[in-house]
């Protein structure tokens, strides 16, 4: 059984000081919550300090991106080994904001995924369709194309370890979440594809999480869908009370799915 997984993507919000204050508050408030994987993805500058703040709490830290080379003349870039040494255990790759605003492609996503594994970082690979693609009825074929390219060359063992985040682009930061039925269809499709391409064990172990305007009041409906293993939360993760509510709700719904 997959442990429910809830990650906070803080994007370009929170100074080091603000990030550490949040992490300490969450660590204290979540100390009795077990059987749920909680991840904080602060801006690069705060990765080290947040990792220190949550040490020995069960809360993990993720980078929001990386560059695939280990080191070199790549001004502004951060490598996978650097993130790992700073205390990150995971890294978000291929977020739609990186694809749309910074020229990320499926080819660069794939290079980053391999670099993450080489540095012992768990990739959280983001895929999802635009509104135009959904309106044209191309959602599932877009997912197929992204997954084929983004996961190219991975072993079944690696796929079993990674996290796929289904994030419909039209739902990110818009306040308009996918309906539970839309999420269920996409998640079921992703799981089937993983099964066909990488085998039953990999598909059963891989976490497939939903992202796109997850809020405390829509978490239960989204998380109750069979193949939804958790959430990648943007805006609603900036407030510790709201984020904790999402974590607790995900935990409760996952427990009821098991019975
Ligand atoms: C995200 O940034 O991955 C995200 C899902 O953002 P939001 O929750 O704000 O839509």
């Amino acid at each position: 059984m997959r442990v429910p997984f809830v990650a906070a993507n803080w994007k370009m919000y929170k100074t080091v000081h603000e990030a550490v204050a949040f992490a300490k508050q969450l660590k204290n408030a979540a100390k009795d919550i077990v059987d749920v994987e909680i991840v904080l993805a602060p801006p690069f500058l705060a990765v080290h300090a947040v990792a220190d703040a949550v040490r020995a709490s069960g809360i993990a830290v993720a980078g929001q991106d990386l560059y695939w080379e280990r080191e070199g003349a790549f001004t502004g870039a951060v490598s996978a080994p650097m993130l790992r040494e700073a205390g990150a255990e995971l890294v978000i790759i291929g977020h739609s904001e990186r694809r749309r605003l910074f020229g990320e492609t499926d080819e660069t996503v794939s290079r980053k995924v391999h670099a993450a594994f080489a540095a012992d970082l768990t990739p959280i690979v983001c895929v999802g369709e635009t509104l135009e693609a959904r309106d044209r009825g191309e959602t599932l074929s877009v997912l197929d194309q992204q997954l084929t390219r983004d996961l190219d060359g991975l072993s079944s063992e690696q796929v079993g370890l990674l996290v796929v985040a289904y994030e419909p682009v039209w739902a990110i930061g818009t306040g308009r979440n996918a309906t539970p039925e839309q999420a269920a269809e996409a998640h079921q499709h992703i799981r089937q594809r993983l099964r066909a391409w990488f085998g039953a064990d990999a598909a059963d172990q891989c976490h497939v999480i939903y992202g796109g305007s997850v809020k405390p009041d829509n978490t239960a409906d989204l998380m109750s869908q069979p193949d939804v293993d958790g959430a990648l939360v943007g805006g609603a993760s900036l407030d510790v009370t709201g984020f904790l509510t999402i974590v607790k709700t995900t935990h409760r719904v996952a427990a009821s799915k098991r019975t």
Side-chain angles (χ1 to χ4, degrees):
M1 195 63 206
R2 295 176 295 272
V3 174
F5 183 105
V6 185
N9 175 17
W10 288 345
K11 314 191 185 200
M12 200 175 73
Y13 291 101
K14 296 193 188 295
T15 62
V16 176
H17 181 77
E18 291 164 345
V20 168
F22 182 115
K24 286 182 176 165
Q25 214 183 326
L26 182 70
K27 177 178 174 178
N28 190 39
K31 62 178 181 296
D32 297 328
I33 305 177
V34 290
D35 293 338
V36 52
E37 193 163 349
I38 306 173
V39 177
L40 300 178
F44 284 138
L45 279 177
V47 164
H48 190 253
V50 170
D52 263 357
V54 298
R55 197 176 305 286
S57 69
I59 299 171
V61 175
Q64 296 179 14
D65 186 32
L66 56 72
Y67 190 61
W68 56 80
E69 298 288 353
R70 288 184 60 84
E71 61 181 6
F74 304 107
T75 301
V78 172
S79 75
M82 289 171 182
L83 267 179
R84 190 73 186 88
E85 200 220 58
E89 294 175 70
L90 306 96
V91 58
I92 299 171
I93 300 176
H95 190 281
S96 66
E97 286 153 15
R98 301 287 329 162
R99 293 180 191 253
R100 186 166 50 86
L101 301 171
F102 298 98
E104 189 87 272
T105 65
D106 289 317
E107 286 65 38
T108 59
V109 169
S110 169
R111 295 182 81 157
K112 291 180 180 188
V113 170
H114 284 277
F117 275 122
D120 197 24
L121 287 169
T122 299
I124 303 171
V125 181
C126 301
V127 294
E129 80 287 0
T130 60
L131 189 56
E132 296 71 38
R134 177 162 282 273
D135 288 345
R136 286 196 301 267
E138 293 171 359
T139 297
L140 302 184
S141 58
V142 167
L143 294 178
D144 284 352
Q145 181 174 317
Q146 291 176 332
L147 288 169
T148 314
R149 294 175 178 175
D150 296 353
L151 309 186
D152 185 39
L154 295 184
S155 66
S156 298
E157 288 70 26
Q158 287 172 320
V159 171
L161 293 172
L162 66 73
V163 180
V164 174
Y166 169 59
E167 296 212 305
V169 177
W170 48 272
I172 297 177
T174 58
R176 179 182 166 196
N177 60 284
T179 64
E181 294 72 28
Q182 288 170 327
E185 182 194 29
H187 282 240
Q188 191 186 29
H189 181 80
I190 292 169
R191 186 91 58 201
Q192 280 170 354
R193 286 295 190 254
L194 296 178
R195 183 163 285 118
W197 296 334
F198 298 98
D201 287 351
D204 288 344
Q205 286 158 18
C206 177
H207 282 81
V208 185
I209 62 173
Y210 170 80
S213 297
V214 174
K215 307 272 181 259
D217 62 0
N218 61 21
T219 303
D221 284 348
L222 287 161
M223 296 305 123
S224 59
Q225 301 307 311
D227 276 299
V228 178
D229 301 322
L232 181 53
V233 189
S237 73
L238 295 172
D239 164 62
V240 77
T241 310
F243 184 63
L244 194 62
T245 304
I246 292 170
V247 170
K248 286 181 175 169
T249 306
T250 303
H251 182 247
R252 175 173 54 76
V253 171
S256 70
K257 273 162 64 173
R258 278 198 288 271
T259 56

